[in-house]
Amino acid sequence: MAATKEYSVEEKLKGLIQLQKIESKLDEIQVLKGELPMEVKDLEDEIAGLQARRTRTEEEVNGIQEFIESRKEAIKESQALVKKYEKQSENVKNNREYEAINKEIEMQTLEVKLAEKHIKDANDDLYEKSQQLERINKQIDAKEKNLEHKRSELDKIIADTDKEEKALEKEIIKARQSVDERLLSSYERIRKSYRNGLSVVAIQRESCGGCYNSIPPQRQSEIRQHKKIIVCENCGRILVDSDLHDSVSI
Ligand SMILES: [Zn+2]
């Protein structure tokens, strides 16, 4: 039987910490890649929605402008009629005819006033719509800038990560070799059971760095002695002291 190297508990712990750090780094890349494409897609959808709103608002503006033009035409027609009636009133034959013409003039004058009121209201609408358009355009600008930024970030990550991921995967294979099999399988079991993939954690503020359950002082000092592998009573994660944790770099 080939002699297998015997590792001290401290060496085992260091091996685990290293493996955990490398795998966490790989996890970070996945998270980064996982969220950016979604953020880019969300921004694209939001911009498309705003652009549709802008088109609708522009159409509304056109409609209002056409309405204003039609009212201006109506005013011109009424004014022309008033002029015509005024001329006619110079040659009336009797009182009845005079009154009838006057009534027409009065009606056309009212028409003009009504059209003027419509134009005023429409102009108010127009102002509101132009304010709306300004706001929409600002939102589109801001989101487009953000999108551009996210896209370049994503492109950069995609360009970078392939290389880094492959390098990390190699390191993981190497790091696994320095952890004994039994320990490795419990490490993996714990890692799989938590969404954040943390299996080895440092003590933080007298508590487990994974579940924040407090650790009694006696247990903390046992952990610091590196005599045996100690797991959190609450979450089962492997506990190490922060000095040991910090001493391992990847
Ligand atoms: Zn815990």
Side-chain angles (χ1 to χ4, degrees):
M1 235 178 122
T4 48
K5 197 191 165 209
E6 269 303 312
Y7 290 105
S8 70
V9 172
E10 190 175 297
E11 282 172 324
K12 285 179 183 173
L13 287 172
K14 280 186 169 177
L16 277 179
I17 295 169
Q18 190 174 36
L19 181 59
Q20 176 73 75
K21 285 190 173 180
I22 301 165
E23 294 204 301
S24 289
K25 204 168 175 191
L26 196 58
D27 289 347
E28 272 171 37
I29 294 174
Q30 301 304 346
V31 167
L32 216 60
K33 262 172 55 178
E35 281 171 3
L36 267 176
M38 214 170 67
E39 284 172 6
V40 166
K41 177 81 177 60
D42 282 352
L43 275 171
E44 283 170 346
D45 288 349
E46 283 170 36
I47 290 169
L50 283 168
Q51 282 167 338
R53 236 178 88 194
R54 176 166 65 190
T55 306
R56 277 202 305 279
T57 311
E58 282 167 348
E59 280 165 5
E60 282 166 1
V61 165
N62 285 343
I64 296 169
Q65 280 166 339
E66 276 170 27
F67 175 75
I68 290 174
E69 284 313 307
S70 78
R71 294 293 81 200
K72 281 181 180 168
E73 278 307 307
I75 288 173
K76 272 185 205 160
E77 280 166 28
S78 291
Q79 284 169 338
L81 281 174
V82 168
K83 258 188 195 150
K84 195 184 102 186
Y85 296 140
E86 277 169 352
K87 210 160 207 168
Q88 279 177 10
S89 73
E90 287 164 14
N91 309 305
V92 285
K93 294 182 185 79
N94 55 47
N95 226 16
R96 243 184 73 197
E97 214 174 296
Y98 179 77
E99 266 172 30
I101 286 176
N102 257 354
K103 211 163 204 169
E104 286 297 331
I105 291 175
E106 218 173 281
M107 241 177 69
Q108 291 307 323
T109 309
L110 274 176
E111 286 290 330
V112 170
K113 279 194 176 142
L114 192 64
E116 281 170 349
K117 167 89 172 63
H118 285 160
I119 290 173
K120 190 188 164 293
D121 291 346
N123 273 322
D124 289 346
D125 279 355
L126 216 50
Y127 177 72
E128 212 168 284
K129 296 281 170 208
S130 74
Q131 298 282 91
Q132 262 178 37
L133 270 177
E134 210 176 298
R135 279 198 297 274
I136 293 169
N137 281 331
K138 269 187 191 157
Q139 281 175 304
I140 291 175
D141 278 355
K143 287 198 190 293
E144 271 174 349
K145 275 198 189 99
N146 197 4
L147 177 62
E148 203 184 312
H149 172 73
K150 297 259 180 216
R151 263 197 196 132
S152 71
E153 217 179 317
L154 181 61
D155 288 347
K156 203 173 152 286
I157 286 170
I158 288 169
D160 287 353
T161 45
D162 261 13
K163 243 166 114 185
E164 200 183 351
E165 260 179 82
K166 285 197 179 92
L168 286 170
E169 274 156 14
K170 267 187 195 162
E171 283 180 50
I172 287 169
I173 293 168
K174 230 173 90 188
R176 271 165 191 269
Q177 286 164 354
S178 31
V179 179
D180 82 40
E181 242 170 81
R182 221 163 54 89
L183 203 53
L184 191 63
S185 77
S186 66
Y187 162 88
E188 279 179 341
R189 185 175 40 77
I190 306 167
R191 186 170 142 75
K192 271 180 202 141
S193 61
Y194 291 109
R195 268 182 61 198
N196 61 8
L198 285 180
S199 185
V200 183
V201 292
I203 302 171
Q204 283 170 14
R205 291 189 202 129
E206 325 272 303
S207 308
C208 164
C211 71
Y212 308 109
N213 199 47
S214 76
I215 303 162
Q218 173 60 31
R219 212 162 164 75
Q220 286 184 45
S221 86
E222 280 175 44
I223 291 164
R224 272 194 297 272
Q225 283 164 20
H226 313 149
K227 292 261 160 58
K228 54 180 179 180
I229 309 279
I230 295 173
V231 299
C232 171
E233 284 173 332
N234 186 51
C235 70
R237 289 183 174 99
I238 298 157
L239 289 166
V240 294
D241 55 289
S242 55
D243 285 342
L244 189 71
H245 193 262
D246 293 346
S247 76
V248 178
S249 53
I250 59 164

